[in-house]
Amino acid sequence: MSTATDLKVPWVSLYSSANWTNGIGFCNGNNLGSFSYTCQTQSNDAAGQAVMLVTPSTAPTPVGYTMQGVCERGCVTPPPTTLTSVSPAVGTAGALNQVVVRGTGLTLGTELDLAGNGIVASNYQMNQAVSVSADGTSLTVLFSTYGLAPGKYDLVLNGVGYTVGTPSPGYLPGAYTVTPAPAPQPNSLFTPLTPSRILDTRLGIGAPKAHVGARRTVKLQVDNTAGVPAGGVTAVAMNVTAVTPTSAGFVTVYPDSRPLPTVSNLNFSAGQTIPNLVVVPVVDGKVDLYNGSGGTVQLIADLDGYYTT
């Protein structure tokens, strides 16, 4: 993961004591908020220890990176991958739903599918790994439910053999339920506004000047604020930004006083600064922002407009 807010890529190179001038192998990658590199050595590269060098390249400094590696070929035989549970086991259709998959031998390269009646419904290439525990027993991943009909789905390791309905090490039947997406507000009228910052916990705007604690909620007044009417507002559009979180996690934005949803609006890694556009219903003139991480985070919200019936 990269704290850079644009598409500037870092540069990853491999060097050895035998070839410190030109490097060894070849590394190629990209950066779309998360950056990935594949490094391959050549058949004539000398065996032995190598140094992986990561530099900012064209990304403006200071910039921070978090990297985790997965061996693809010529690796020491890894422990077998098993699946034991997924939590939460429910997510809405047409979304990226953050879940924690537990088992053994899990890595950032673990490929997971949602399947129904033995047919893959959510291809692993649409899912996004977020983080993995050091012992390989816990993998945080974003499940893509775009195009999926509501119902129960099996969780399966990509390419593993299984018998439909019979649990096995790489197969959990009926482990995940997709619920209908929320119905849109009928006849809603959107009124755009000049973007205005209504929340910044770094400066005490809209909330006390303090980091948002682990699994804490910020209540944000939106009615009668920055051009929003004092009544009749059904939803607001905001650009929400998580700033320098101390651990990986997510932010969920939802109507005030309503139950906390099981899905997230914004996902981040430790040290990352990342925004996302959110449209959220308003109840009693407020919306709530929940820090779903084990560490602290600063939150920013820029108001873009509001909906009325």
Side-chain angles (χ1 to χ4, degrees):
M1 304 297 292
S2 168
T3 60
T5 56
D6 51 26
L7 301 185
K8 302 297 186 181
V9 298
W11 187 259
V12 176
S13 305
L14 292 177
Y15 294 89
S16 70
S17 58
N19 195 346
W20 183 250
T21 302
N22 299 316
I24 62 174
F26 174 73
C27 296
N28 185 43
N30 60 73
N31 182 21
L32 294 174
S34 298
F35 76 87
S36 61
Y37 266 82
T38 298
C39 294
Q40 296 177 318
T41 55
Q42 307 298 320
S43 58
N44 59 351
D45 287 329
Q49 292 288 332
V51 174
M52 175 177 286
L53 184 64
V54 182
T55 59
S57 187
T58 57
T61 55
V63 63
Y65 298 114
T66 301
M67 298 183 67
Q68 293 173 302
V70 177
C71 181
E72 293 184 346
R73 287 189 289 272
C75 317
V76 175
T77 302
T81 302
T82 65
L83 306 176
T84 58
S85 68
V86 55
S87 177
V90 178
T92 58
L96 284 175
N97 301 300
Q98 182 163 298
V99 301
V100 176
V101 176
R102 290 184 170 81
T104 61
L106 300 171
T107 72
L108 288 180
T110 299
E111 299 172 350
L112 299 170
D113 298 317
L114 294 177
N117 298 319
I119 300 174
V120 171
S122 174
N123 190 283
Y124 71 89
Q125 293 176 334
M126 295 296 294
N127 302 326
Q128 302 175 19
V130 177
S131 62
V132 67
S133 63
D135 60 2
T137 62
S138 176
L139 173 65
T140 301
V141 63
L142 296 177
F143 275 166
S144 170
T145 56
Y146 292 102
L148 297 190
K152 281 190 172 294
Y153 290 86
D154 304 333
L155 178 63
V156 58
L157 284 171
N158 182 58
V160 73
Y162 63 93
T163 301
V164 175
T166 302
S168 57
Y171 172 66
L172 295 177
Y176 196 73
T177 300
V178 176
T179 59
Q185 289 283 344
N187 303 319
S188 292
L189 174 67
F190 178 68
T191 301
L193 296 172
T194 300
S196 178
R197 184 149 298 177
I198 60 173
L199 174 68
D200 193 333
T201 59
R202 302 171 304 175
L203 304 175
I205 299 174
K209 181 180 178 180
H211 288 78
V212 181
R215 298 176 179 85
R216 297 290 184 180
T217 299
V218 172
K219 291 181 177 290
L220 179 62
Q221 178 73 36
V222 293
D223 276 11
N224 202 27
T225 301
V228 178
V233 175
T234 58
V236 291
M238 304 186 302
N239 203 48
V240 177
T241 303
V243 181
T244 58
T246 58
S247 67
F250 62 92
V251 173
T252 297
V253 187
Y254 61 104
D256 180 54
S257 74
R258 294 297 189 261
L260 178 67
T262 59
V263 297
S264 61
N265 299 99
L266 176 64
N267 302 277
F268 51 77
S269 59
Q272 186 180 27
T273 296
I274 183 171
N276 197 24
L277 181 65
V278 174
V279 177
V280 58
V282 175
V283 173
D284 296 328
K286 301 182 184 69
V287 298
D288 294 349
L289 296 88
Y290 173 76
N291 171 23
S293 76
T296 63
V297 65
Q298 299 278 19
L299 294 178
I300 296 173
D302 297 321
L303 183 69
D304 295 315
Y306 62 91
Y307 292 84
T308 54
T309 55

